Amino acid sequence: MSQASLMSVFSRLVSAAFVAGLALPLAGCDFGTLDDLSTDQAIDAPSEMTVAARAFWTAYSKTSADDVKKEMAGIEGVIQRTSTVPMQVKIGDLTKAETDLVLPNKDPAPAQGMLIVTELECPLDKVEQYVIAKNQSELYPDLYDEYTRTYSSSSADFLSRAAPQLTWRTDYKATALGRTYLSNLTGGAWRLPDASPTGGPVLLSRTYLNEPANFISGEPASFNQDYQIEVYWEVSPGRTRHLYGLWREFSLTTLTSESDLYISIVLGNLSDFDARTSKICKTGAPVPDTK
């Protein structure tokens, strides 16, 4: 594709709210350069990265701390054998048994798997507050028409370590490219105090689309499935590694979640999202709302 043609596609299709914001209660704010999109194609990851991402998803669903610790013990080796950090790769599918853990009777085969590994210039305790914050639209602006995250368990208990997990529901409305849609998701976070390779804490976060997004105006589009698993751990004081796997079924005319352009845009945008997190961690603004 010529540079001019790619710019045309980019101008018509790239929207942070639509391309990355779909299904993401946390979504990036800036895309990389056009050169990034044309050259940073995600590679197919070795099977062990798929196995690791699926293992974290399953362990979270079953609240299995032992399974998380087992995967964390070898995760640095898996990362080194897969690629370098930062990493952007395609991964294999979730199985029906794995999606049945949260939403029975779904066929996950159409949901494309993809994954990033980045490093945040931010300590884990601060990252945790950005992950669980209710004011996502303030922390990461220009994504939503309306946004509400409602805790379904106590954030005070979670932050005080009285409870290892926090759960929430997200409802939002967004408009982009002439299309307006409504979406709702189930999300949560789980902190394990001694599960990292160095014996430190690990934070997991999981999000999934409860039902297909409801497009209420504009041309036809579909966003039927989205499953996300995130793992955070400090690799050195003040530096947090972030593994983020997702499986998504999305279609907008000829652009689908299986296309290399779509995958490159989403993963590049998620990497930029982490850069945004590092920035607000350094400046201290906006302040996360965790009450």
Side-chain angles (χ1 to χ4, degrees):
M1 181 181 293
S2 70
Q3 191 80 344
S5 297
L6 187 56
M7 178 63 82
S8 177
V9 171
F10 180 83
S11 298
R12 294 196 311 270
L13 297 179
V14 173
S15 164
F18 194 75
V19 177
L22 284 171
L24 287 176
L26 304 176
C29 301
D30 300 299
F31 290 102
T33 66
L34 186 61
D35 287 340
D36 290 335
L37 292 177
S38 61
T39 60
D40 268 357
Q41 279 199 351
I43 63 171
D44 290 308
S47 60
E48 62 179 339
M49 183 57 83
T50 297
V51 170
R54 289 168 51 186
F56 285 123
W57 169 269
T58 301
Y60 192 108
S61 299
K62 294 182 175 180
T63 62
S64 174
D66 288 343
D67 286 352
V68 172
K69 291 178 181 180
K70 178 181 177 182
E71 290 304 316
M72 288 303 302
I75 194 60
E76 293 290 357
V78 173
I79 290 170
Q80 291 174 12
R81 290 189 292 273
T82 299
S83 184
T84 58
V85 177
M87 177 194 304
Q88 298 183 14
V89 294
K90 291 182 281 187
I91 55 176
D93 297 343
L94 283 174
T95 67
K96 187 175 184 304
E98 289 160 342
T99 55
D100 278 349
L101 294 169
V102 295
L103 292 173
N105 304 316
K106 290 282 189 178
D107 175 13
Q112 173 66 48
M114 55 191 94
L115 179 144
I116 65 167
V117 180
T118 63
E119 283 189 11
L120 305 173
E121 295 181 9
C122 189
L124 182 62
D125 286 350
K126 283 191 175 182
V127 170
E128 176 183 78
Q129 294 186 39
Y130 300 128
V131 170
I132 72 169
K134 293 192 293 184
N135 59 330
Q136 294 296 315
S137 57
E138 182 184 5
L139 295 170
Y140 309 99
D142 303 324
L143 295 177
Y144 309 102
D145 298 339
E146 301 171 5
Y147 182 96
T148 303
R149 173 177 287 186
T150 305
Y151 294 144
S152 48
S153 64
S154 170
S155 61
D157 285 350
F158 177 74
L159 291 170
S160 69
R161 313 304 174 213
Q165 293 199 10
L166 175 66
T167 56
W168 60 78
R169 175 186 167 107
T170 297
D171 295 272
Y172 70 85
K173 176 183 177 181
T175 300
L177 304 178
R179 295 162 174 83
T180 299
Y181 63 94
L182 304 173
S183 187
N184 65 83
L185 312 103
T186 293
W190 178 22
R191 185 177 174 115
L192 294 88
D194 57 355
S196 83
T198 59
V202 170
L203 178 70
L204 277 74
S205 182
R206 183 187 67 182
T207 303
Y208 57 89
L209 190 65
N210 293 318
E211 57 192 10
N214 179 19
F215 288 83
I216 58 177
S217 69
E219 295 298 317
S222 65
F223 178 50
N224 294 330
Q225 297 187 82
D226 198 72
Y227 311 95
Q228 302 172 33
I229 186 69
E230 300 180 69
V231 188
Y232 298 88
W233 69 101
E234 283 196 5
V235 291
S236 62
R239 294 192 66 84
T240 298
R241 187 154 288 176
H242 181 202
L243 182 152
Y244 192 162
L246 64 151
W247 296 264
R248 177 174 297 175
E249 181 187 3
F250 164 86
S251 177
L252 170 62
T253 61
T254 59
L255 182 71
T256 73
S257 47
E258 296 180 347
S259 72
D260 286 339
L261 175 61
Y262 181 88
I263 294 167
S264 294
I265 291 171
V266 170
L267 295 184
N269 196 43
L270 292 177
S271 294
D272 287 347
F273 166 80
D274 278 356
R276 164 72 177 173
T277 302
S278 294
K279 179 179 178 180
I280 60 178
C281 181
K282 182 178 181 179
T283 63
V287 175
D289 177 8
T290 60
K291 296 181 179 179

